[in-house]
């Protein structure tokens, strides 16, 4: 009883002082501000009332405390929104459900910051509402930042490059389109044209018509429309009248259209006909039993003017979030109290605005933290906020208007991108499952405007009569490629011009172009500077002999190359006469040296293998040396008279004769070429030898060769000499470095081939050291570059490209045979495999031979040998000397094979011949040789 008296006393004091009370109140006041007459407002009003009823009837939320909501109509007016918000601030409101419009949100969020009253907006999608600037603004719906990301993903998925944005020109429209521009730019896409419309509800038909006519004259056919409902339907109506809802156009509408489709299903037939084939974004809400039950409940509400849409679900959940946060606030001991704002009190005393009636919610910051910490499940799924205060797991449905209704073609979420599977089904234990995302189809088939399933190209050439400004170099040399027709200002001819014209004629649409000459006509212009003029807007493209190189591809897009190109070195050459020593030229010095050493090595190996068994390889030392030399070099002509007896010797000889056969054949062919074919020589062998020298190098004015030589090859600028014409090329090469000319010229192959066709005194030396091509340049992501690339490929396939080449560049004045100078000498690298095989065979044969000798050395000696060894000194040094003598004796021993197959050995000079048999002449020579052997 006493406690009740204290509570009544506190309540009485609160009424007396009028501005605060402690403890858990019986009633908590909340406000709601939105536009009552809008499609969103009509359903949001009922949804908020239903949510308040559910809170007040739920014994588990705010036990003993009731919600009391007061609603105000802002009519999406910033002024009215501010006035109605001021009224709320006089009623001790702890939170506001709303506002609905971005304009109102920007106005009253500043007030909420000062008075610490949280705003839970269920419909403001403006991505600019930053939590840093507006900490008390809480978005319970999804930000347009994600919606525009979804639209950018669709544009990128279909391969389109440019879009047109139609938007309402207020905070909602401008900020949404700015987010779209950022998301497109991150994918190298862009908004070509932004068409802003007046935000007034009174739709101006003439304004819309003029805007659509401007869009018709532009190239892109992808139109994103981000407006309010009535304005959007007015745009579609006029677009239908102008034929912009037919083939070739793509319309992507933001969620304003899906809200109308859900609320007024089906739409009136006259409106439905104007939006056939449109792609529409709709905030995704997962299917759940709570959502289904609420839909059933909505149908039973007799005064519901419209069907339920997504924003009604967000409005309902906003109330539930605030109720859940207040419940936690009270359970944590929070008190609802208000105090006067010191600055407002000062202002109130100086006028009649009654500003001192507005109070500050003392515990507003605590309640804000409880709201942001909410983690419950609502009609729209998980009610939880990310660190940036956005809803977690943002996702959108992508629907297609077709026939009398809509069909869903896919989904978009920030973790899985585009998919035909609902985003929540891709989560496994709270984490996204990306394995399915990478393999599943992105979107289902779309029925596009004009009732076609064929994906629109996304752009057409503008029919506004504006010609493309195409830059063309005004060349003073090699005019076969590009040249200005004399007496004209914008007419050109040449190989490049014919290729471009033929490619444009293959396009399925007309491309009016105007050639604009670039250069002073006195020297070739800088092609890099000409390409850079595309980025500045001076040219819409560049046509000519423009090389596709790295620094240019970074700023523009090139078509498919229509001519191969690359840098080569051109140098003078001289004819080589055969001369008296021409027979030495087939091999270089190293080849001669290695070949001679191999002859000697093989001769020594064969002598070692044959010495014990073959009488022809025995005898006095002088005779054996002559035998080795004779046998070695006579194999060159296969004229050796010594026969080989041992198996190892024959094996080595067969392999060596095969090597000699290859060497002889190569030598003969090379020598024949030297003596019968005109030989050319140049001191410069290619770009590497040119870099090592200090001689001047010529290049063509305007060519990228200068950049490559200076920056890539690090050649000093003092060595580089700019040359403008083929005549200057010829004179500089003829004069040479000693007379102020150049040692060589570096230029692109097409120019060089044309130059050499009439200057036969010079040749290409070395190999082409860069690979590139010529193409037509256009701005980045230009669809014209893609279509022209396809046309160039078609020209190459049907032979027209080759015919154009032959027309302009086929010259017969001087053939280009033997154009590239290369060394005619044979090098060791061409034969090292043969020498390796022969060397391995020799080493293996020697290894097997010495293994046989060692085995014989360690066989049991005869009795006489043992007796002799016992008579000798028995110290270790004597034993080693005896074994070495025996090894050398075995090496020099004459080995014979008797008829029975038993071997008989004889140490020359140590045992007399007691058999009395008659020796052959070869054996007598052997005895005379061994009689002076120092080993005996």
């Amino acid at each position: 009883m006493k406690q009740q008296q204290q509570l009544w006393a506190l309540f009485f004091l609160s009424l007396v002082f009028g501005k605060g009370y402690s403890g858990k109140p019986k009633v908590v006041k909340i406000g709601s501000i939105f536009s009552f007459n809008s499609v969103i407002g009509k359903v949001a009003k009922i949804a908020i009332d239903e949510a308040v009823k559910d809170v007040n009837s739920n014994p588990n939320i705010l036990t003993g405390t009731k919600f009391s909501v007061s609603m105000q109509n802002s009519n999406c007016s910033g002024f009215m929104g501010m006035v109605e918000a001021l009224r709320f601030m006089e009623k001790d409101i702890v939170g506001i459900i709303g506002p609905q419009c971005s304009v109102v949100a920007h106005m009253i969020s500043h007030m909420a910051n000062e008075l610490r009253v949280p705003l839970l907006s269920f419909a403001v999608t403006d991505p600019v509402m930053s939590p840093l600037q507006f900490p008390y603004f809480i978005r319970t719906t999804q930000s347009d930042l994600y919606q525009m990301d979804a639209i950018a993903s669709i544009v990128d998925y279909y391969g389109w490059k440019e879009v047109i944005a139609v938007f309402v020109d207020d905070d909602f429209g401008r900020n949404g389109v700015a987010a779209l521009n950022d998301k497109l730019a991150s994918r190298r896409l862009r908004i070509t044209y932004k068409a802003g419309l007046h935000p007034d509800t009174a739709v101006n038909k003439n304004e819309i018509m003029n805007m659509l006519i401007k869009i018709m004259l532009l190239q892109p056919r992808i139109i994103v429309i981000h407006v309010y409902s009535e304005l959007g339907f007015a745009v579609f109506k006029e677009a239908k009248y102008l034929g912009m809802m037919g083939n070739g156009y793509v319309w992507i509408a933001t969620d304003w259209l899906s809200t109308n489709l859900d609320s007024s299903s089906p739409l009136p037939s006259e409106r439905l006909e104007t939006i056939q084939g449109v792609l529409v974004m709709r905030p995704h809400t997962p299917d759940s039993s709570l959502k289904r039950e609420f839909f059933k409940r909505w149908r039973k509400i007799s005064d519901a003017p419209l069907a339920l849409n997504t924003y009604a679900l967000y409005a309902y959940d906003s109330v539930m979030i605030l109720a859940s946060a207040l419940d936690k606030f009270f359970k944590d001991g929070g008190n609802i109290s208000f105090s006067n704002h010191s600055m407002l009190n000062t202002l109130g005393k100086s006028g009649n605005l009654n500003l001192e009636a507005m109070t500050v919610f003392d515990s507003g910051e605590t309640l804000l933290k409880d709201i942001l910490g909410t983690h419950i499940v609502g009609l729209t799924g998980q009610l939880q906020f990310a660190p940036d205060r956005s809803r977690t797991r943002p996702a959108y449905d992508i629907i297609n208007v077709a026939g009398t209704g809509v069909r869903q073609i896919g989904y978009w979420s920030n973790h899985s991108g585009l998919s035909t599977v609902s985003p929540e089904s891709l989560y496994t234990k709270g984490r996204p499952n990306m394995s399915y995302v990478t393999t599943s189809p992105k979107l289902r088939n779309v029925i596009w405007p004009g009732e076609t399933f064929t994906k629109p190209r996304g752009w057409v050439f503008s029919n506004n009569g504006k010609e493309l400004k195409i830059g063309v170099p005004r060349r003073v040399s090699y005019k076969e490629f590009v040249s200005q027709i004399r007496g004209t200002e914008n007419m050109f001819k040449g190989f490049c011009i014919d290729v471009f014209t033929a490619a444009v004629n293959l396009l399925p649409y007309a491309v009016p172009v105007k050639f604009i000459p670039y250069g002073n006509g006195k020297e070739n212009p800088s092609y890099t500077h000409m390409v850079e003029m595309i980025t500045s807007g001076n040219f819409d493209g560049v046509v000519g002999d423009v090389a596709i190189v790295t620094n240019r591809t970074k700023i523009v897009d090139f078509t498919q190359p229509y001519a191969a190109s690359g840098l080569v070195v051109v140098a003078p050459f001289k004819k080589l006469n055969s001369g008296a020593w021409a027979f030495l030229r087939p091999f270089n010095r190293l080849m001669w040296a290695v070949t001679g050493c191999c002859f000697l090595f093989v001769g020594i190996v064969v002598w070692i293998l044959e010495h014990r068994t073959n009488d022809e390889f025995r005898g006095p030392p002088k005779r054996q040396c002559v035998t080795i030399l004779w046998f070695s070099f006579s194999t060159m002509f296969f004229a050796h008279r010594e026969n080989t007896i041992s198996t190892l010797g024959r094996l080595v000889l067969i392999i060596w004769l095969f090597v000699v056969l290859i060497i002889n054949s190569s030598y003969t062919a090379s020598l024949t070429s030297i003596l019968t074919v005109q030989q050319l020589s140049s001191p410069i062998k290619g770009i590497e030898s040119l870099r090592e020298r200090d001689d001047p190098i010529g290049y063509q004015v305007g060519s990228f060769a200068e950049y490559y030589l200076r920056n890539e090859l690090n050649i000093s600028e003092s060595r580089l000499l700019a040359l403008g014409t083929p005549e200057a090329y010829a004179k500089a090469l003829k004069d040479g470095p000693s007379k102020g000319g150049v040692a060589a010229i570096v230029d692109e192959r097409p120019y060089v081939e044309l130059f050499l066709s009439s200057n036969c005194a010079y040749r290409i030396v070395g190999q082409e050291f860069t690979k590139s091509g010529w193409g037509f340049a256009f701005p980045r992501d230009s669809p014209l570059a893609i279509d022209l690339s396809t046309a160039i490929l078609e020209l190459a396939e049907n032979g027209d490209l080759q015919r154009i080449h032959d027309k302009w560049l086929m010259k017969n004045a001087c053939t280009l045979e033997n154009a590239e100078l290369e060394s005619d000498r044979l090098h060791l690298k061409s034969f090292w495999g043969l020498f390796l095989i022969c060397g391995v065979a020799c080493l293996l044969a020697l290894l097997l031979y010495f293994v046989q000798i060692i085995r014989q050395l360690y066989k049991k000696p005869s009795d006489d040998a043992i007796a002799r060894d016992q008579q000798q000194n028995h110290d270790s040094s004597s034993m080693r000397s005896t074994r070495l003598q025996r090894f050398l004796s075995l090496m020099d021993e004459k080995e014979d094979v008797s008829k029975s197959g038993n071997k008989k050995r004889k140490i020359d000079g140590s045992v007399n011949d007691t058999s009395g048999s008659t020796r052959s002449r070869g054996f007598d020579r052997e005895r005379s040789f061994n009689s002076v052997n120092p080993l005996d």
Side-chain angles (χ1 to χ4, degrees):
M1 186 66 180
K2 185 177 180 180
Q3 185 177 5
Q4 290 180 351
Q5 293 175 351
Q6 291 176 349
L7 290 174
W8 279 109
L10 289 173
F11 179 72
F12 178 77
L13 290 174
S14 66
L15 292 177
V16 172
F17 292 101
K19 295 304 172 187
Y21 49 83
S22 61
K24 189 174 181 180
K26 293 293 183 180
V27 178
V28 175
K29 296 179 181 180
I30 63 172
S32 181
I33 182 170
F34 52 90
S35 179
F36 289 174
N37 295 324
S38 65
V39 175
I40 294 176
K42 289 177 181 180
V43 294
K45 183 178 185 301
I46 301 175
I48 293 172
D49 285 337
E50 294 299 317
V52 171
K53 292 178 184 178
D54 291 344
V55 171
N56 292 334
S57 62
N58 190 340
N60 298 322
I61 300 178
L62 296 175
T63 305
T65 301
K66 299 296 183 180
F67 254 11
S68 174
V69 59
S70 59
M71 301 183 184
Q72 298 293 341
N73 184 10
S74 67
N75 206 23
C76 280
S77 167
F79 174 73
M80 289 303 299
M82 180 181 64
V83 172
E84 299 300 339
L86 289 174
R87 291 183 181 181
F88 280 146
M89 300 309 174
E90 297 177 352
K91 299 178 182 180
D92 297 340
I93 297 295
V94 299
I96 297 177
I97 305 301
Q100 173 188 337
C101 303
S102 299
V103 177
V104 179
H106 281 274
M107 293 291 294
I108 69 174
S109 291
H110 294 285
M111 188 183 305
N113 291 346
E114 292 295 331
L115 303 181
R116 303 176 190 170
V117 178
L119 301 176
L120 284 79
S121 176
F122 58 88
V124 173
T125 58
D126 184 356
V128 176
M129 299 297 293
S130 167
L132 297 177
Q133 184 181 7
F134 306 113
Y136 283 85
F137 175 83
I138 304 166
R139 194 195 316 271
T140 58
T141 184
Q142 300 187 48
S143 170
D144 276 341
L145 191 68
Y146 300 109
Q147 181 172 210
M148 298 309 173
D149 197 359
I151 293 175
S153 297
I154 295 173
V155 175
D156 188 35
Y157 170 71
Y158 286 112
W160 301 318
K161 298 298 183 181
E162 299 177 345
V163 303
I164 295 173
V166 177
F167 63 98
V168 57
D169 197 3
D170 61 3
D171 292 337
F172 163 72
R174 285 192 301 270
N175 296 334
V177 170
L180 175 62
N181 189 63
D182 292 340
K183 295 302 181 181
L184 290 172
S186 66
R187 295 169 171 82
R188 286 189 59 188
L189 314 175
R190 67 190 182 105
I191 298 177
T192 303
Y193 180 71
K194 298 178 182 179
L197 294 173
H198 200 282
D200 284 351
T201 55
V203 178
N204 190 324
K205 179 179 177 180
N206 292 331
E207 181 184 353
I208 295 175
M209 186 71 73
N210 293 334
M211 179 267 295
L212 291 176
I213 291 174
K214 289 181 181 178
I215 291 176
M216 290 180 64
L217 299 178
L218 300 176
Q219 292 183 5
R221 286 293 182 261
I222 314 300
I223 304 172
V224 178
I225 179 167
H226 185 54
V227 294
Y228 299 128
S229 299
E230 293 303 318
L231 183 58
F233 283 116
V235 170
F236 280 125
K237 181 180 179 181
E238 301 304 325
K240 177 74 172 177
Y241 175 78
L242 293 174
M244 298 177 67
M245 301 303 298
N247 287 338
Y249 283 91
V250 175
W251 290 83
I252 303 175
T254 53
D255 55 11
W256 67 267
L257 183 53
S258 62
T259 301
N260 282 269
L261 290 170
D262 293 339
S263 302
S264 304
S265 181
L267 284 176
S269 58
E270 62 272 10
R271 283 193 168 183
L272 195 59
E273 289 179 0
T274 63
I275 59 173
Q276 291 295 307
V278 177
L279 294 182
V280 188
M281 310 303 299
R282 176 172 60 196
H284 175 73
T285 56
D287 187 25
S288 65
S289 59
L290 289 175
K291 180 179 174 181
R292 289 192 295 269
E293 289 297 327
F294 192 76
F295 268 88
K296 292 179 181 178
R297 177 178 166 187
W298 187 271
R299 297 188 189 99
K300 297 178 182 179
I301 298 176
S302 59
D303 58 344
L306 298 171
L308 192 62
N309 60 44
T310 307
Y311 285 101
L313 303 180
Y314 284 126
Y316 181 94
D317 281 349
S318 299
V319 177
M320 302 306 295
I321 291 173
L322 183 57
S324 177
L326 280 169
D327 185 59
K328 183 178 184 302
F329 173 78
F330 289 134
K331 289 179 179 179
D332 292 342
N335 297 319
I336 293 180
S337 62
F338 298 88
S339 60
N340 294 324
H341 197 290
S342 58
M343 186 178 295
L344 292 178
N345 288 336
T346 304
L347 293 174
K349 295 177 182 178
S350 61
N352 298 322
L353 296 177
N354 197 28
L355 297 177
E356 69 275 7
M358 291 189 295
T359 56
V360 177
F361 182 20
D362 296 331
S363 300
E365 186 175 355
T366 303
L367 179 60
L368 177 64
K369 292 180 180 177
D370 290 336
I371 293 173
L372 295 176
T374 301
H375 190 182
I376 60 175
V377 178
L379 300 180
T380 58
Q382 291 283 346
L383 300 180
Q384 185 179 1
F385 295 97
D388 62 351
R389 298 191 179 185
S390 62
R391 286 283 298 271
T392 57
R393 301 185 183 180
Y396 281 85
D397 300 336
I398 304 171
I399 59 179
N400 179 211
V401 181
T404 59
V406 298
R407 50 192 294 269
Q408 186 151 338
I409 63 170
Y411 303 88
W412 177 91
S413 67
N414 67 330
H415 70 271
S416 61
L418 298 175
S419 174
T420 55
V421 181
S422 61
E424 58 273 8
S425 65
L426 296 176
Y427 275 87
T428 304
K429 296 180 180 180
R431 295 183 178 181
N433 182 8
M434 300 305 296
S435 60
Y436 182 84
V437 176
T438 56
T439 57
S440 65
K442 300 297 184 181
L443 293 174
R444 299 184 182 93
N445 291 332
V446 178
I447 301 177
W448 302 102
E451 298 182 356
T452 176
F453 285 96
T454 304
K455 185 199 76 172
R457 188 173 61 220
W459 80 285
V460 295
F461 197 82
S462 59
N463 55 0
N464 57 3
K466 180 181 177 182
E467 296 177 322
L468 286 180
K469 296 179 294 184
I470 302 297
V472 182
R474 185 184 292 173
R475 295 193 59 88
V476 296
S477 62
Y478 300 113
K479 293 187 176 183
E480 292 85 350
F481 297 104
V482 179
S483 65
Q484 188 173 13
I485 298 177
R486 182 175 299 179
T488 64
E489 182 179 355
N490 303 110
M491 298 181 65
F492 289 82
K493 63 179 181 179
F495 168 68
C496 303
I497 301 299
D498 281 5
V499 172
F500 177 75
T501 303
V504 168
N505 290 336
L506 291 177
L507 298 179
Y509 47 86
V511 181
V513 298
K514 179 181 180 181
F515 292 135
I516 300 177
Y518 178 78
N520 55 20
K522 298 179 181 179
E523 61 180 7
N524 295 332
S526 171
Y527 281 38
T528 300
H529 292 164
M530 182 172 59
V531 170
E532 289 174 351
M533 293 185 70
I534 296 177
T535 62
S536 62
N538 294 319
F539 292 148
D540 296 318
V542 168
V543 170
D545 46 338
V546 183
I548 305 174
V549 293
T550 304
N551 62 327
R552 296 173 185 170
T553 57
K554 292 179 179 179
I555 58 175
V556 298
D557 279 353
F558 282 91
T559 62
Q560 171 79 14
Y562 62 87
S565 179
L567 294 179
V568 293
V569 179
V570 180
F573 69 95
K574 62 179 180 179
K575 298 180 181 179
L576 296 179
N577 298 321
S578 57
W581 300 99
F583 67 90
L584 296 176
R585 285 171 53 192
F587 291 162
N588 62 1
R589 294 180 182 179
L590 180 61
M591 183 65 183
W592 279 117
V594 173
T595 303
C597 292
C598 285
F599 274 104
L600 292 176
F601 176 70
V602 171
I604 293 173
V605 170
V606 173
W607 179 83
I608 293 174
L609 298 176
E610 294 290 322
H611 180 66
R612 299 182 64 219
T613 59
N614 195 338
D615 292 341
E616 294 182 351
F617 288 88
R618 301 181 64 84
K622 181 177 179 181
R623 181 169 177 264
Q624 293 303 300
C625 291
V626 173
T627 300
I628 292 173
L629 294 175
W630 167 255
F631 178 82
S632 298
F633 292 102
S634 61
T635 56
M636 179 184 297
F637 312 102
F638 304 96
H640 51 287
R641 64 186 183 186
E642 291 81 6
N643 296 321
T644 52
I645 297 176
S646 66
T647 302
L648 294 176
R650 289 176 176 177
L651 176 63
V652 171
L653 183 60
I654 289 174
I655 295 175
W656 173 242
L657 290 178
F658 175 74
V659 174
V660 170
L661 175 64
I662 300 300
I663 293 176
N664 275 342
S665 300
S666 303
Y667 176 87
T668 303
S670 179
L671 183 61
T672 302
S673 174
I674 291 173
L675 296 177
T676 59
V677 179
Q678 175 180 286
Q679 300 297 309
L680 309 177
S681 175
S682 173
I684 299 172
K685 305 303 180 184
I687 187 62
E688 292 300 326
S689 64
L690 189 62
R691 290 179 61 186
E692 295 171 357
R693 302 162 65 97
D694 293 329
D695 296 331
I697 303 172
Y699 67 91
Q700 185 181 173
V701 175
S703 171
F704 80 98
E706 178 190 10
Y707 172 86
Y708 189 88
L709 293 172
R710 186 177 66 249
N711 296 330
E712 299 296 333
L713 300 182
N714 298 318
I715 295 178
S716 173
E717 190 172 358
S718 60
R719 294 179 56 191
L720 302 180
L721 179 62
L723 302 172
T725 62
E727 293 75 16
Y729 279 21
K731 184 178 185 303
L733 289 172
K734 181 179 180 181
D735 293 343
S738 60
K739 298 181 179 180
V742 296
I745 290 174
V746 175
D747 204 353
E748 297 176 66
R749 180 177 284 274
Y751 302 122
V752 169
E753 290 178 347
L754 199 59
F755 169 72
L756 295 180
S757 65
S758 56
N759 292 272
C760 300
Y762 313 102
R763 289 291 185 270
I764 296 174
V765 294
Q767 300 294 325
E768 187 174 287
F769 56 92
T770 65
K771 294 292 183 181
S772 62
W774 288 352
F776 306 129
F778 292 94
R780 297 296 296 269
D781 302 317
S782 170
L784 188 58
I786 299 174
D787 289 352
L788 278 177
S789 295
T790 304
I792 291 172
L793 289 175
E794 187 175 346
L795 288 175
E797 292 172 357
N798 61 26
D800 287 345
L801 189 61
Q802 184 62 42
R803 282 188 283 272
I804 297 173
H805 177 276
D806 295 344
K807 170 186 174 183
W808 289 98
L809 306 179
M810 184 62 70
K811 302 294 182 179
N812 298 321
C814 180
T815 59
L816 296 180
E817 60 183 8
N818 297 329
E820 296 187 7
L821 293 180
E822 298 183 12
S823 176
D824 52 14
R825 290 189 169 189
L826 299 176
H827 299 270
L828 179 63
K829 62 182 179 181
S830 302
F831 300 94
W832 70 269
L834 290 172
F835 289 134
L836 178 62
I837 293 173
C838 183
V840 171
C842 291
L843 293 177
L844 288 177
L846 290 176
L847 179 62
L848 293 175
Y849 177 78
F850 286 124
V851 168
Q852 293 176 0
I853 297 297
I854 293 174
R855 288 180 62 188
Q856 294 178 15
L857 176 66
Y858 282 94
K859 282 185 178 181
K860 185 177 179 180
S862 62
D863 295 338
D864 295 340
I866 294 175
R868 287 195 304 271
D869 292 340
Q870 291 177 350
Q871 296 176 1
Q872 296 176 356
N873 190 359
H874 295 287
D875 57 21
S876 58
S877 61
S878 176
M879 291 295 291
R880 286 195 297 270
S881 176
T882 301
R883 185 167 296 176
L884 178 60
Q885 290 179 5
R886 180 169 176 75
F887 176 77
L888 296 177
S889 297
L890 284 173
M891 287 287 296
D892 193 50
E893 180 184 74
K894 176 67 175 69
E895 182 178 2
D896 193 11
V897 180
S898 65
K899 293 180 180 181
S900 62
N902 296 325
K903 295 182 179 180
K904 298 181 180 181
R905 293 189 180 88
K906 175 182 178 182
I907 306 300
D908 294 326
S910 60
V911 179
N912 294 325
D913 185 8
T914 59
S915 63
S917 60
T918 305
R919 302 288 185 178
S920 64
R921 184 180 305 174
F923 280 39
D924 294 335
R925 289 196 303 267
E926 176 190 346
R927 187 159 46 250
S928 64
F929 169 73
N930 291 327
S931 63
V932 294
N933 195 327
L935 298 178
D936 295 339

